[in-house]
Amino acid sequence: MATTSPEAFDVFEYLLTSEINENDLNDDINVFLNDVYFKNAERLLNNHPIDLAILSGYLSNRLGFAFVSGYNSAIHSLLLSNVVNKKKLKDSPIEYNKTTCFCATEKSPMPNAKSINTTLQRKEENDNDKDNGEEEWIVKGKKSFVTLGTMADILIVIVNDINNNNEVMNETEKRKKLRAIMIEPKKVKNNNQLKIDNVGKELPFIPEVPHGKLVINDLVINKRSILPRDGYSFYLKSFRTFEDLHVFSSFLGYIFRIVKLWEFPEMFQEKILSVLSSLKYLAEECDLNDPVTHVVFNGTIKSAKEIISKFEENIQNYVNEPNTIEMLQRDRVLFDIANKSRVLRGKSAWKKIRSRL
């Protein structure tokens, strides 16, 4: 299948033609990240991050690792969407071999502008000559649930810029002025300024994937750590769509592995690749903030879920590996976990489209 550029790696051809062995059921996420995800990233530097989600999902031995692949790839795509004419992984503002976390959740499990109380404030004693990116800002607050938080090399943190609070964002609404900032925990010298602990109670699914809670106490950052563009429109609001698209691509990559390994009828591979091609097009060519894209995306996810449902109906007939079946049954909640927010985004998209008639 033709790729988007001559130097890009053809992921679909690899899925179809590569040899595949029985699952190694190693459950160490560090082994997966180092031996699979980061190595794939190095291979795919000339590809869009969506290909990293698909390939790493395919090479995962469990749904949790596929989820991690989609999650990290989504952050690369999100950051690239705010860089003009840059779509390749090598152009991402973050290094490909860094574990990156998106930090938004505070009290509400579905974070919005009102729920963000972590603050960003410009230091009053900034010198006049600190206008070259060295201007200092202070961050303070808590994040209650951060996927991969305890493993983070980089944190993308959504904060309330209280220097610009209640900025008018449109004609009818006022809301907090949000920004996205980048923090590298390992470079923070004062442990009291940044703490990342386990959330405590283990989730009943994907137990291999750690989650953390974040406490920031008067952490000083410079202006270079503040990402460009509005934190609500281009980061908080957008990320759920980016995450949804990339995570489902990884899930389908993982299911492709199983149907190929256990010799399901070939129509499963055909249907999975058909949906993956649509998700790949949406990621590479479309504005994920556009309502038309949301409508197409929702339809594509419905097609993906039909394939997953058919796969689950047939898994007992083909898969002769009890651990694989048990893990899938335990973790399948991931297929539905974003349903509510996706439905809300879909309703909003249709409302905007109807207003254009």
Side-chain angles (χ1 to χ4, degrees):
M1 182 174 176
T3 52
T4 52
S5 63
E7 65 271 21
F9 182 86
D10 194 328
V11 170
F12 284 2
E13 181 178 355
Y14 184 87
L15 264 61
L16 286 166
T17 61
S18 62
E19 292 186 7
I20 187 167
N21 299 314
E22 287 193 28
N23 281 335
D24 168 16
L25 297 178
N26 189 310
D27 64 355
D28 189 331
I29 191 170
N30 286 290
V31 171
F32 171 77
L33 287 171
N34 290 316
D35 291 355
V36 179
Y37 182 79
F38 293 146
K39 285 186 178 179
N40 285 339
E42 187 173 14
R43 177 191 287 179
L44 297 171
L45 289 174
N46 286 308
N47 289 55
H48 189 281
I50 190 67
D51 286 334
L52 178 57
I54 295 168
L55 183 59
S56 295
Y58 172 68
L59 294 175
S60 297
N61 65 20
R62 62 196 62 223
L63 206 58
F65 291 168
F67 169 78
V68 166
S69 302
Y71 171 77
N72 253 255
S73 300
I75 297 174
H76 282 294
S77 283
L78 175 69
L79 297 180
L80 280 170
S81 73
N82 291 305
V83 181
V84 178
N85 296 325
K86 298 292 185 181
K87 294 184 178 181
K88 296 179 180 179
L89 182 60
K90 67 181 180 182
D91 299 317
S92 174
I94 52 179
E95 295 175 71
Y96 70 86
N97 59 349
K98 300 292 185 183
T99 301
T100 308
C101 308
F102 191 83
C103 312
T105 303
E106 295 187 10
K107 292 183 179 180
S108 171
M110 292 180 62
N112 53 46
K114 290 182 180 179
S115 71
I116 302 299
N117 294 312
T118 300
T119 58
L120 174 72
Q121 185 172 19
R122 187 178 181 274
K123 284 184 72 174
E124 293 181 0
E125 61 269 27
N126 274 309
D127 297 331
N128 291 331
D129 60 353
K130 287 187 176 180
D131 57 358
N132 60 352
E134 297 303 323
E135 180 182 80
E136 292 182 333
W137 296 67
I138 300 173
V139 187
K140 181 187 297 185
K142 298 178 181 180
K143 300 295 180 182
S144 62
F145 191 87
V146 180
T147 300
L148 294 178
T150 55
M151 301 180 65
D153 295 308
I154 296 173
L155 302 170
I156 306 298
V157 185
I158 304 300
V159 296
N160 173 19
D161 180 357
I162 58 177
N163 290 94
N164 297 286
N165 206 358
N166 292 324
E167 178 174 315
V168 177
M169 304 299 290
N170 57 46
E171 292 180 357
T172 61
E173 181 183 4
K174 288 185 178 181
R175 59 171 169 257
K176 295 175 182 178
K177 172 66 176 178
L178 302 186
R179 304 296 295 268
I181 63 172
M182 186 182 298
I183 300 172
E184 296 183 66
K186 294 171 185 176
K187 292 184 179 180
V188 176
K189 296 179 181 178
N190 187 339
N191 291 335
N192 292 323
Q193 292 183 338
L194 183 71
K195 295 181 180 180
I196 307 173
D197 296 315
N198 287 314
V199 293
K201 187 177 181 180
E202 189 178 85
L203 295 177
F205 53 93
I206 57 170
E208 309 88 356
V209 180
H211 298 84
K213 53 186 178 181
L214 174 66
V215 179
I216 307 174
N217 291 312
D218 295 326
L219 176 66
V220 178
I221 64 170
N222 61 38
K223 194 173 182 179
R224 289 194 182 93
S225 299
I226 303 174
L227 298 176
R229 309 183 82 174
D230 175 62
Y232 175 75
S233 300
F234 294 98
Y235 295 94
L236 180 62
K237 184 179 177 182
S238 299
F239 179 66
R240 297 310 170 196
T241 301
F242 279 83
E243 182 183 33
D244 220 6
L245 191 155
H246 288 73
V247 164
F248 257 94
S249 296
S250 285
F251 288 165
L252 290 175
Y254 172 67
I255 292 172
F256 190 97
R257 172 191 181 90
I258 294 176
V259 301
K260 180 179 176 182
L261 174 63
W262 294 102
E263 298 181 347
F264 282 58
E266 290 177 349
M267 70 92 173
F268 280 93
Q269 294 185 45
E270 295 168 352
K271 290 187 175 182
I272 291 170
L273 289 179
S274 176
V275 174
L276 281 175
S277 67
S278 296
L279 292 172
K280 192 166 147 61
Y281 176 79
L282 290 171
E284 293 176 344
E285 304 296 337
C286 298
D287 176 5
L288 295 186
N289 291 311
D290 188 275
V292 174
T293 303
H294 274 287
V295 169
V296 177
F297 174 63
N298 277 4
T300 307
I301 291 298
K302 288 174 183 176
S303 296
K305 287 197 164 192
E306 289 173 3
I307 294 171
I308 292 170
S309 178
K310 194 73 174 176
F311 161 75
E312 290 181 313
E313 289 173 10
N314 286 272
I315 191 169
Q316 298 282 356
N317 299 330
Y318 293 96
V319 177
N320 187 26
E321 207 326 296
N323 285 335
T324 296
I325 296 174
E326 288 173 10
M327 286 191 296
L328 267 166
Q329 291 172 340
R330 180 196 67 195
D331 298 338
R332 74 161 316 283
V333 64
L334 289 170
F335 298 140
D336 302 316
I337 205 164
N339 278 354
K340 186 176 180 180
S341 58
R342 191 183 309 118
V343 168
L344 292 174
R345 292 196 303 269
K347 287 181 178 178
S348 176
W350 275 112
K351 184 177 180 180
K352 290 175 182 177
I353 289 171
R354 292 189 183 101
S355 71
R356 298 176 182 178
L357 297 177

